[in-house]
Amino acid sequence: GQNIDQPTEMTATEGAIVQINCTYQTSGFNGLFWYQQHAGEAPTFLSYNVLDGLEEKGRFSSFLSRSKGYSYLLLKELQMKDSASYLCAVRDPNETGGSYIPTFGRGTSLIVHP
Amino acid sequence: DADVTQTPRNRITKTGKRIMLECSQTKGHDRMYWYRQDPGLGLRLIYYSFDVKDINKGEISDGYSVSRQAQAKFSLSLESAIPNQTALYFCATSGTGGANVLTFGAGSRLTVL
């Protein structure tokens, strides 16, 4: 089975930087995803890491260390609209769906206040 | 129009009733999925289909069935709904290359009384 851990909730101030961590324990690894989900809406894709290192995309960056089973999502210049849940998801070739389907963590609810 | 359309968006039903949630996609993808989301539990996979003739159980398939009517259509059925199936249900689709990113529908909120 898989174990994917992320903090349940975080708060931050508009304009600041926040780092959302995700740790995972899997028997295999074939990619890690971050999705954003606003309340009552569909999750939307943010980032994908399959190799170690940092992937930057505008205000959002995602980091992966496969040896440590660790990833983080970094959000810079926070805006009120960034208040949402952030879902970490890991693909494990040894799990349901093989190399193609990620298993999701429980999500981190980020609250951005003025 | 949305890439992935789910109907109904909201449904209230009673214990024992049969319910069907429908999903259609315009992305031309072969792969489709049904997930369930409960507060504090994240997204859990119910069923998935990699093409029209392929149906596979996910981690929580008990009490559910699916039908892949066409490449673009994947429906989820609850044969006899029970209250603990009250949840937000998402359909998703993905391509076959690269990151295989999931594109989700807007969700169907089901309440079983």
Side-chain angles (χ1 to χ4, degrees), chain B residues 43-77:
Chain B
L43 285 161
R44 293 182 291 166
L45 183 66
I46 307 172
Y47 269 95
Y48 65 100
S49 169
F50 282 172
D51 65 42
V52 174
K53 297 181 180 179
D54 177 74
I55 300 288
N56 303 281
K57 294 182 178 180
E59 59 181 299
I60 55 163
S61 59
D62 287 349
Y64 302 94
S65 63
V66 291
S67 174
R68 185 79 185 269
Q69 301 96 324
Q71 185 200 40
K73 297 183 181 296
F74 192 36
S75 60
L76 176 72
S77 294

Coordinates of all heavy atoms in Angstrom, one line a residue, chain B residues 43-77:
Chain B
L43 N -9.2 12.0 -2.5 CA -9.8 11.4 -3.7 C -9.5 9.9 -3.7 O -8.3 9.5 -3.6 CB -9.3 12.0 -4.9 CG -9.8 13.4 -5.3 CD1 -8.9 14.0 -6.3 CD2 -11.2 13.3 -5.9
R44 N -10.5 9.0 -3.8 CA -10.3 7.6 -3.9 C -10.9 7.0 -5.1 O -12.0 7.4 -5.5 CB -10.9 6.9 -2.6 CG -10.2 7.3 -1.3 CD -10.8 6.6 -0.1 NE -12.2 7.0 0.1 CZ -13.1 6.4 0.9 NH1 -12.7 5.2 1.5 NH2 -14.3 6.9 1.1
L45 N -10.1 6.1 -5.8 CA -10.5 5.6 -7.1 C -11.5 4.5 -6.9 O -11.3 3.5 -6.2 CB -9.2 5.0 -7.7 CG -9.4 4.5 -9.1 CD1 -9.7 5.6 -10.1 CD2 -8.1 3.9 -9.6
I46 N -12.6 4.6 -7.7 CA -13.7 3.6 -7.7 C -13.5 2.6 -8.8 O -13.5 1.4 -8.6 CB -15.1 4.3 -7.8 CG1 -15.2 5.4 -6.7 CG2 -16.2 3.3 -7.6 CD1 -16.5 6.2 -6.9
Y47 N -13.5 3.1 -10.0 CA -13.3 2.3 -11.2 C -12.5 3.1 -12.2 O -12.5 4.3 -12.2 CB -14.7 1.9 -11.8 CG -15.3 0.7 -11.4 CD1 -16.2 0.7 -10.3 CD2 -15.0 -0.6 -12.0 CE1 -16.8 -0.5 -9.9 CE2 -15.6 -1.7 -11.5 CZ -16.5 -1.7 -10.5 OH -17.1 -2.9 -10.1
Y48 N -11.9 2.4 -13.1 CA -11.2 3.0 -14.2 C -11.3 2.1 -15.5 O -11.5 0.9 -15.4 CB -9.7 3.4 -13.9 CG -8.8 2.2 -13.7 CD1 -8.0 1.7 -14.7 CD2 -8.8 1.6 -12.4 CE1 -7.1 0.7 -14.4 CE2 -7.9 0.5 -12.2 CZ -7.1 0.1 -13.2 OH -6.2 -1.0 -13.0
S49 N -11.1 2.8 -16.6 CA -11.3 2.2 -17.9 C -10.2 2.7 -18.9 O -10.1 4.0 -19.1 CB -12.7 2.4 -18.5 OG -12.7 2.0 -19.8
F50 N -9.4 1.9 -19.4 CA -8.3 2.4 -20.3 C -8.8 2.4 -21.8 O -8.1 3.0 -22.6 CB -7.1 1.5 -20.2 CG -6.3 1.9 -18.9 CD1 -5.2 1.1 -18.5 CD2 -6.6 3.0 -18.1 CE1 -4.4 1.4 -17.4 CE2 -5.9 3.3 -17.0 CZ -4.8 2.5 -16.6
D51 N -9.8 1.7 -22.1 CA -10.5 1.8 -23.4 C -11.9 1.2 -23.3 O -12.3 0.7 -22.3 CB -9.6 1.2 -24.6 CG -9.5 -0.3 -24.5 OD1 -10.5 -1.0 -24.1 OD2 -8.4 -0.8 -24.7
V52 N -12.6 1.3 -24.4 CA -14.0 0.9 -24.4 C -14.3 -0.5 -23.9 O -15.2 -0.8 -23.2 CB -14.6 1.1 -25.8 CG1 -16.1 0.6 -25.8 CG2 -14.6 2.5 -26.2
K53 N -13.3 -1.4 -24.1 CA -13.5 -2.8 -23.7 C -12.8 -3.2 -22.4 O -12.7 -4.3 -22.0 CB -13.1 -3.7 -24.8 CG -13.8 -3.6 -26.1 CD -13.4 -4.6 -27.2 CE -14.2 -4.4 -28.5 NZ -13.7 -5.3 -29.5
D54 N -12.3 -2.2 -21.7 CA -11.5 -2.4 -20.5 C -12.2 -1.7 -19.3 O -12.4 -0.5 -19.3 CB -10.1 -1.8 -20.8 CG -9.2 -1.9 -19.5 OD1 -8.8 -3.0 -19.2 OD2 -9.0 -0.9 -18.8
I55 N -12.5 -2.5 -18.3 CA -13.0 -2.0 -17.1 C -12.3 -2.6 -15.9 O -12.1 -3.8 -15.9 CB -14.5 -2.4 -16.9 CG1 -15.4 -1.8 -18.1 CG2 -15.1 -1.9 -15.6 CD1 -15.6 -0.3 -18.0
N56 N -11.9 -1.8 -15.0 CA -11.1 -2.3 -13.8 C -11.6 -1.7 -12.5 O -12.0 -0.5 -12.5 CB -9.6 -1.9 -14.0 CG -9.0 -2.4 -15.3 OD1 -8.7 -3.6 -15.4 ND2 -9.0 -1.5 -16.3
K57 N -11.5 -2.5 -11.5 CA -11.9 -2.0 -10.2 C -10.8 -1.1 -9.6 O -9.6 -1.5 -9.7 CB -12.2 -3.2 -9.2 CG -13.4 -4.0 -9.6 CD -13.7 -5.1 -8.6 CE -14.9 -5.9 -9.0 NZ -15.2 -6.9 -8.0
G58 N -11.2 -0.1 -8.9 CA -10.3 0.7 -8.1 C -10.2 0.2 -6.6 O -10.6 -0.9 -6.3
E59 N -9.8 1.1 -5.7 CA -9.6 0.6 -4.4 C -11.0 0.5 -3.6 O -11.0 -0.1 -2.6 CB -8.7 1.6 -3.6 CG -9.2 3.0 -3.6 CD -8.2 4.0 -2.9 OE1 -7.9 3.7 -1.7 OE2 -7.7 4.9 -3.6
I60 N -12.0 1.2 -4.1 CA -13.3 1.1 -3.3 C -14.5 0.8 -4.2 O -15.5 1.6 -4.3 CB -13.5 2.5 -2.6 CG1 -13.5 3.7 -3.5 CG2 -12.5 2.6 -1.4 CD1 -14.1 4.9 -2.9
S61 N -14.4 -0.3 -5.0 CA -15.5 -0.5 -6.0 C -16.7 -1.2 -5.4 O -17.8 -1.2 -6.1 CB -14.9 -1.4 -7.1 OG -14.4 -2.6 -6.5
D62 N -16.7 -1.7 -4.2 CA -17.9 -2.4 -3.6 C -19.1 -1.5 -3.6 O -19.0 -0.3 -3.1 CB -17.6 -2.9 -2.2 CG -16.7 -4.1 -2.3 OD1 -16.4 -4.7 -3.4 OD2 -16.2 -4.5 -1.2
G63 N -20.2 -1.9 -4.1 CA -21.4 -1.1 -4.1 C -21.6 -0.3 -5.3 O -22.6 0.4 -5.5
Y64 N -20.6 -0.3 -6.2 CA -20.7 0.5 -7.5 C -20.5 -0.4 -8.7 O -19.9 -1.5 -8.6 CB -19.6 1.5 -7.5 CG -19.6 2.5 -6.3 CD1 -18.8 2.2 -5.2 CD2 -20.3 3.6 -6.4 CE1 -18.8 3.1 -4.1 CE2 -20.3 4.5 -5.3 CZ -19.5 4.3 -4.2 OH -19.5 5.2 -3.2
S65 N -21.0 0.0 -9.8 CA -20.7 -0.6 -11.1 C -20.5 0.5 -12.1 O -21.0 1.6 -11.9 CB -21.8 -1.6 -11.5 OG -23.0 -0.9 -11.7
V66 N -19.9 0.2 -13.3 CA -19.7 1.2 -14.3 C -20.0 0.6 -15.7 O -20.1 -0.6 -15.8 CB -18.3 1.7 -14.3 CG1 -17.9 2.5 -13.1 CG2 -17.3 0.5 -14.5
S67 N -20.2 1.5 -16.6 CA -20.4 1.1 -18.0 C -19.7 2.1 -18.9 O -19.8 3.3 -18.7 CB -22.0 1.1 -18.3 OG -22.2 0.9 -19.7
R68 N -18.9 1.5 -19.8 CA -18.2 2.4 -20.8 C -19.0 2.2 -22.1 O -18.7 1.3 -22.9 CB -16.8 1.9 -20.9 CG -15.9 2.9 -21.8 CD -15.5 4.1 -21.1 NE -14.8 5.0 -21.9 CZ -13.5 5.1 -22.1 NH1 -12.7 4.2 -21.4 NH2 -12.9 6.0 -22.8
Q69 N -19.9 3.2 -22.4 CA -20.8 3.1 -23.5 C -20.1 3.4 -24.8 O -20.5 3.0 -25.9 CB -22.0 4.0 -23.3 CG -22.8 3.6 -22.1 CD -22.4 4.5 -20.9 OE1 -21.3 4.9 -20.7 NE2 -23.4 4.9 -20.1
A70 N -19.1 4.2 -24.7 CA -18.3 4.7 -25.9 C -17.0 5.3 -25.4 O -16.8 5.4 -24.2 CB -19.1 5.8 -26.6
Q71 N -16.1 5.7 -26.3 CA -14.9 6.3 -25.9 C -15.1 7.5 -25.0 O -14.4 7.7 -24.0 CB -14.0 6.7 -27.1 CG -12.7 7.2 -26.7 CD -12.0 8.0 -27.7 OE1 -12.7 8.8 -28.4 NE2 -10.7 7.9 -27.9
A72 N -16.2 8.2 -25.3 CA -16.4 9.5 -24.7 C -17.3 9.4 -23.4 O -17.5 10.4 -22.7 CB -17.0 10.5 -25.6
K73 N -17.9 8.2 -23.2 CA -18.9 8.1 -22.1 C -18.6 7.0 -21.1 O -18.3 5.9 -21.5 CB -20.3 7.9 -22.7 CG -20.8 9.0 -23.6 CD -22.1 8.7 -24.1 CE -22.6 9.9 -25.0 NZ -22.8 11.1 -24.3
F74 N -18.7 7.4 -19.8 CA -18.4 6.4 -18.7 C -19.3 6.7 -17.6 O -19.2 7.8 -17.0 CB -16.9 6.7 -18.3 CG -16.3 5.6 -17.4 CD1 -16.6 4.3 -17.6 CD2 -15.4 6.0 -16.5 CE1 -16.0 3.3 -16.8 CE2 -14.8 5.0 -15.7 CZ -15.1 3.7 -15.8
S75 N -20.2 5.8 -17.3 CA -21.2 6.1 -16.3 C -21.0 5.2 -15.0 O -20.4 4.1 -15.1 CB -22.6 5.8 -16.8 OG -22.8 4.5 -17.2
L76 N -21.3 5.8 -13.9 CA -21.2 5.1 -12.6 C -22.6 4.8 -12.1 O -23.4 5.8 -12.0 CB -20.4 6.0 -11.7 CG -20.2 5.5 -10.2 CD1 -19.2 4.3 -10.2 CD2 -19.7 6.6 -9.3
S77 N -22.8 3.6 -11.6 CA -24.1 3.3 -11.0 C -24.0 2.8 -9.6 O -23.0 2.1 -9.2 CB -24.8 2.2 -11.8 OG -25.1 2.6 -13.1

